[in-house]
């Protein structure tokens, strides 16, 4: 019997429960939900299946050590103490990825460098040589995760992010992430028992994921390779058995429809549908949402309209009004799910949602709303004993509060769509903010007096006393250029200072002797003397 070990599946915030359900159905043990991750235990076969079968996981990690560290030296010592000969050799290349949420560790790349140095020094001491480090396509990929002082060093068993299915041959601007699309479909309860439609399908991600789920085709079948295939203990026979097992696939007797007004998007969707091997059950046509008609069979709609961010429409509000009008008059008796990040766009739909699920689409704080379409007025619908909400909808609404507790904090941190594995770009922004605040707060030195090249937009001349008269006051204006067009005065943190004579590369040497920091003991400089120097 294969030994059991700890595994971690990473995902996007809001999809943790969906991923946990997937792992439970897959047969994982000790499934525990965290933030943007789900931990579980399993053997080597479970690790292979998790990478091959999971639709809502970004990557699967195998932790090799948990430890606490308060500084970089402790990280170095803990990593160096690992028996790296069990995982690496001089013939294998490796890279280190890092994710840091800590006040002690300000730079995630620096943490990655310390881990790399520890591994290299380990081999130098034991063999006198160093292993190869390769940023792209390494044999072994390591991941260091730090939350305050809790550190986890893991082997990355996935390699390239699992959202890269391999069927996307055509693309358009701002395509929805495949993992997010699969998570939305699972939240919408898509099981292949009805028809499916996306009236604004773009490159076809939602309709393809819907077809794969309906037929129970695992997303790993399109992948070229996984990182665990380069491990020394890789079991080729076991993985081939998982890869070639199609007993779980099933027939799909319904149809999936995708429409879009953009012909390049339709062409891209057709290419992707063909590459995914689901062209026999998916229909893609060029058709505006205004021409959407009542389907003849029960149909589930899931759509990701333009938000006006990376892609937009000449009449964005009108587009959502048209969608609401089509739903109300041409989608009676069916259910629609719409994801968007702007409340004013949802308002244009003009329908009351029965469920609102908060999600992140990249850096965009979005909501997934469910619309139960019925004929007539809502009061009459309720009077007949009907309800737009079921028990599952009520449970989701109650869990929305738990999500909101962490959403504001996450929104501050999240800066851009994660790179390959969902590593947030907010750490780069956080580090830049820290460096900026440190530069602003540290004491000034005589040789560290640099000119201010731009003025803050929120600065107002009325907030400061008029030290320089009418001519000097204009120097605080963002676009005004006193004294012959040269900016000479500004302030920083409420303290006045003197900049360069000419920001376009003028003479700076004549002012070196007078670049002294302004402190409490220094007397205010004489305005006439300062003005005289400029006139000279």
């Amino acid at each position: 019997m294969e030994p059991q070990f700890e595994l971690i599946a990473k995902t996007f915030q809001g999809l943790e429960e969906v991923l946990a359900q997937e792992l439970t159905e897959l047969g994982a043990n000790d499934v525990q939900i965290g933030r943007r991750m789900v931990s579980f235990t399993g053997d080597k076969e479970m690790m292979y299946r998790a990478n091959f079968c999971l639709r809502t996981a970004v990557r699967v990690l195998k932790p090799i050590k948990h430890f606490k560290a308060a500084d970089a030296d402790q990280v170095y010592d803990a990593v160096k103490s690992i028996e790296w000969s069990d995982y690496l050799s001089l013939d294998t290349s490796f890279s280190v990825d890092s994710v840091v949420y800590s006040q002690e560790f300000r730079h995630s790349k620096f943490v990655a460098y310390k881990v790399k140095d520890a591994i290299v020094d380990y081999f130098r001491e034991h063999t006198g040589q160093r292993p190869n480090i390769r940023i792209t396509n390494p044999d072994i990929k390591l991941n260091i995760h730090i939350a305050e002082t809790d550190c986890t060093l893991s082997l990355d068993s996935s390699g390239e992010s699992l959202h890269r299915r391999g069927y996307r041959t055509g693309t358009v601007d701002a395509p929805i992430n495949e993992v997010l699309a699969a998570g939305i479909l699972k939240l919408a309860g898509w099981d292949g028992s009805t028809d499916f439609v996306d009236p604004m399908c773009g490159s076809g991600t939602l309709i393809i994921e819907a077809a794969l789920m309906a037929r129970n085709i695992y997303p790993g079948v399109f992948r070229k390779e996984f990182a665990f295939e380069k491990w020394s203990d890789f079991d080729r026979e076991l993985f081939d058995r998982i890869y070639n097992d199609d007993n779980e696939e099933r027939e799909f007797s319904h149809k999936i429809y995708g429409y879009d007004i953009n012909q390049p998007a339709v062409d891209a969707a057709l290419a992707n549908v063909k590459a995914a091997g689901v062209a026999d059950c998916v229909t893609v046509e060029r058709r505006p949402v205004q021409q959407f008609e009542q389907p003849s069979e029960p149909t589930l709609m899931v759509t990701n309209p333009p938000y006006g961010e990376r892609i937009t429409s000449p009449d964005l509000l009108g587009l959502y009004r048209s969608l609401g009008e089509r739903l109300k008059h041409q989608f009676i008796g069916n259910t629609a799910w719409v994801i968007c990040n702007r409340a004013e766009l949802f308002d244009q739909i003009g329908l009351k949602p029965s469920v609102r699920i908060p999600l992140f689409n990249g850096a965009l704080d979005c909501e997934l709303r469910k619309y139960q379409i019925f004929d007539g007025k809502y009061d009459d619908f309720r009077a007949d004993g009907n309800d737009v909400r079921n028990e599952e909808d009520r449970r989701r609404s109650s869990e929305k509060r738990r999500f909101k507790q962490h959403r504001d904090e996450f929104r501050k941190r999240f800066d851009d769509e994660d790179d390959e594995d969902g590593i947030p770009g907010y750490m780069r922004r956080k580090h830049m903010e820290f460096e900026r605040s440190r530069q602003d707060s540290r004491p000034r030195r005589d040789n560290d007096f640099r000119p201010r090249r731009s003025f803050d937009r929120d600065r107002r001349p009325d907030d400061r006393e008029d030290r320089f008269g009418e001519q000097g006051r204009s120097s605080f204006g963002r676009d005004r250029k006193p004294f012959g067009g040269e900016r000479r005065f500004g302030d920083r943190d409420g303290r006045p200072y003197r900049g360069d004579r000419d920001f376009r590369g003028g003479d700076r040497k004549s002012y070196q002797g007078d670049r002294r920091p302004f402190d409490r003991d220094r007397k205010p400089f004489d305005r006439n003397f300062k003005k005289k120097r400029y006139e000279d």
Side-chain angles (χ1 to χ4, degrees):
M1 184 176 178
E2 287 283 342
Q4 300 273 317
F5 47 83
E6 180 187 4
L7 292 165
I8 295 175
K10 298 178 64 178
T11 188
F12 299 136
Q13 184 156 343
L15 300 182
E16 296 91 346
E17 289 196 6
V18 175
L19 176 57
Q21 181 63 31
E22 273 198 284
L23 286 167
T24 302
E25 295 173 355
L26 206 59
N29 300 320
D30 302 325
V31 178
Q32 301 290 331
I33 296 177
R35 187 185 298 186
R36 302 180 68 205
M37 54 80 70
V38 177
S39 63
F40 61 103
T41 59
D43 54 12
K44 185 184 297 185
E45 181 178 356
M46 176 54 62
M47 183 181 68
Y48 292 176
R49 289 190 179 276
N51 280 281
F52 187 78
C53 302
L54 292 178
R55 305 180 190 276
T56 58
V58 175
R59 62 180 59 248
V60 179
L61 304 176
K62 180 184 178 182
I64 57 179
K65 185 167 186 176
H66 298 276
F67 59 93
K68 288 185 175 292
D71 54 41
D73 292 335
Q74 293 183 12
V75 172
Y76 175 90
D77 295 337
V79 174
K80 190 177 179 182
S81 65
I82 299 174
E83 291 293 332
W84 284 107
S85 57
D86 297 338
Y87 306 99
L88 297 171
S89 68
L90 295 175
D91 297 329
T92 59
S93 61
F94 76 95
S95 67
V96 181
D97 203 0
S98 56
V99 181
V100 179
Y101 308 86
S102 175
Q103 297 297 322
E104 300 296 331
F105 302 92
R106 300 291 187 175
H107 201 308
S108 59
K109 294 297 182 184
F110 176 70
V111 174
Y113 293 150
K114 296 300 289 187
V115 174
K116 180 210 65 165
D117 291 344
I119 298 174
V120 170
D121 291 346
Y122 170 89
F123 279 96
R124 279 177 173 170
E125 293 180 2
H126 288 75
T127 66
Q129 302 180 53
R130 56 174 291 166
N132 298 320
I133 300 172
R134 185 186 301 166
I135 303 300
T136 59
N137 197 26
D139 297 326
I140 302 295
K141 191 172 182 179
L142 301 169
N143 179 276
I144 177 73
H145 182 280
I146 300 180
E148 297 303 334
T149 59
D150 296 326
C151 307
T152 302
L153 184 64
S154 307
L155 290 170
D156 185 349
S157 67
S158 302
E160 193 175 32
S161 174
L162 295 178
H163 85 273
R164 299 184 183 274
R165 310 290 204 219
Y167 59 73
R168 189 188 293 277
T169 60
T171 186
V172 295
D173 293 336
I176 190 171
N177 186 285
E178 290 87 340
V179 167
L180 179 61
I184 291 174
L185 292 173
K186 286 187 171 292
L187 290 171
W190 169 244
D191 57 3
S193 60
T194 63
D195 287 354
F196 181 90
V197 64
D198 181 359
M200 290 171 274
C201 66
S203 59
T205 305
L206 280 168
I207 57 178
I208 294 174
E209 291 293 326
L212 297 178
M213 292 175 61
R215 289 187 168 179
N216 203 31
I217 300 175
Y218 293 125
V221 72
F222 304 102
R223 296 265 301 196
K224 293 182 178 180
E225 64 176 1
F226 296 92
F228 59 74
E229 296 183 57
K230 297 181 180 180
W231 293 4
S232 58
D233 62 345
F234 173 59
D235 189 337
R236 171 62 66 180
E237 182 180 352
L238 173 61
F239 182 64
D240 287 343
R241 187 170 72 249
I242 296 173
Y243 186 91
N244 296 319
D245 183 13
D246 57 358
N247 293 329
E248 298 296 328
E249 295 185 15
R250 55 177 177 257
E251 295 292 330
F252 177 59
S253 57
H254 299 278
K255 293 292 293 184
I256 295 176
Y257 303 94
Y259 305 117
D260 203 282
I261 194 175
N262 191 340
Q263 186 60 48
V266 173
D267 295 338
L270 288 171
N272 294 333
V273 166
K274 184 178 180 180
V278 294
D280 58 332
C281 65
V282 177
T283 300
V284 182
E285 296 179 2
R286 182 183 181 185
R287 181 184 300 181
V289 68
Q290 292 83 355
Q291 297 179 10
F292 181 79
E293 298 177 353
Q294 177 75 30
S296 58
E297 300 291 337
T299 304
L300 175 69
M301 176 188 293
V302 180
T303 188
N304 176 41
Y307 306 160
E309 299 286 343
R310 290 183 288 177
I311 57 176
T312 186
S313 170
D315 184 11
L316 194 61
L317 296 179
L319 177 66
Y320 280 78
R321 282 195 298 270
S322 298
L323 176 61
E325 187 271 333
R326 291 289 93 185
L327 289 177
K328 184 175 182 181
H329 299 288
Q330 298 293 333
F331 207 60
I332 298 172
N334 298 297
T335 303
W337 293 76
V338 182
I339 181 172
C340 185
N341 73 321
R342 296 169 60 181
E344 61 269 22
L345 296 179
F346 275 124
D347 293 342
Q348 298 301 315
I349 296 178
L351 300 175
K352 181 179 178 62
S354 56
V355 175
R356 302 180 182 186
I357 302 176
L359 289 174
F360 277 92
N361 185 0
L364 302 178
D365 186 1
C366 300
E367 272 193 350
L368 176 65
R369 296 191 180 185
K370 175 184 177 182
Y371 297 96
Q372 189 71 42
I373 312 301
F374 52 87
D375 193 12
K377 296 183 179 180
Y378 179 71
D379 292 339
D380 298 336
F381 181 78
R382 290 290 303 272
D384 295 337
N386 300 312
D387 194 354
V388 295
R389 288 189 178 188
N390 53 33
E391 293 299 326
E392 180 67 15
D393 295 340
R394 293 188 178 91
R395 184 187 66 83
R396 287 171 176 169
S397 297
S398 63
E399 290 175 352
K400 181 181 176 182
R401 299 177 182 177
R402 180 180 61 85
F403 184 94
K404 282 187 174 181
Q405 294 176 359
H406 307 294
R407 183 169 60 176
D408 292 340
E409 176 186 353
F410 187 78
R411 186 190 307 165
K412 293 177 182 178
R413 292 178 170 181
F414 211 103
D415 185 41
D416 198 315
E417 172 47 11
D418 307 341
D419 49 14
E420 291 186 355
D421 75 323
I423 294 177
Y426 70 83
M427 286 308 306
R428 292 188 296 273
R429 184 179 66 180
K430 183 177 180 181
H431 175 68
M432 293 174 60
E433 292 174 351
F434 165 74
E435 290 294 336
R436 191 180 301 114
S437 64
R438 187 175 65 174
Q439 292 288 340
D440 291 345
S441 62
R442 66 187 176 91
R444 294 283 181 180
R445 299 188 295 269
D446 289 346
N447 61 350
D448 191 39
F449 202 87
R450 292 185 293 272
R452 182 120 175 160
R453 294 182 178 269
S454 61
F455 292 83
D456 294 339
R457 294 184 177 183
D458 56 351
R459 183 174 297 145
R460 298 292 183 268
D462 296 341
D463 297 336
R464 296 157 176 82
E465 71 177 89
D466 183 7
R467 297 185 180 92
F468 311 110
E470 191 64 30
Q471 192 176 19
R473 180 195 293 270
S474 64
S475 64
F476 292 106
R478 185 158 57 98
D479 296 321
R480 298 179 184 177
K481 299 179 180 180
F483 303 129
E486 296 176 356
R487 296 180 180 178
R488 305 190 180 281
F489 300 102
D491 74 341
R492 192 165 189 163
D493 297 333
R495 299 172 297 171
Y497 78 98
R498 288 161 288 178
D500 277 330
R501 182 176 186 179
D502 189 350
F503 284 104
R504 296 181 298 274
D507 181 19
R508 300 174 60 184
K509 295 183 180 179
S510 61
Y511 295 95
Q512 293 290 342
D514 196 44
R515 291 184 184 177
R516 291 171 293 178
F518 286 80
D519 51 35
R520 298 179 180 177
D521 298 330
R522 186 180 179 189
K523 297 180 180 180
F525 58 85
D526 182 36
R527 184 188 67 184
N528 295 326
F529 172 76
K530 183 71 177 180
K531 185 175 180 181
K532 182 176 182 300
R533 287 194 60 184
Y534 281 125
E535 292 173 350
D536 294 340

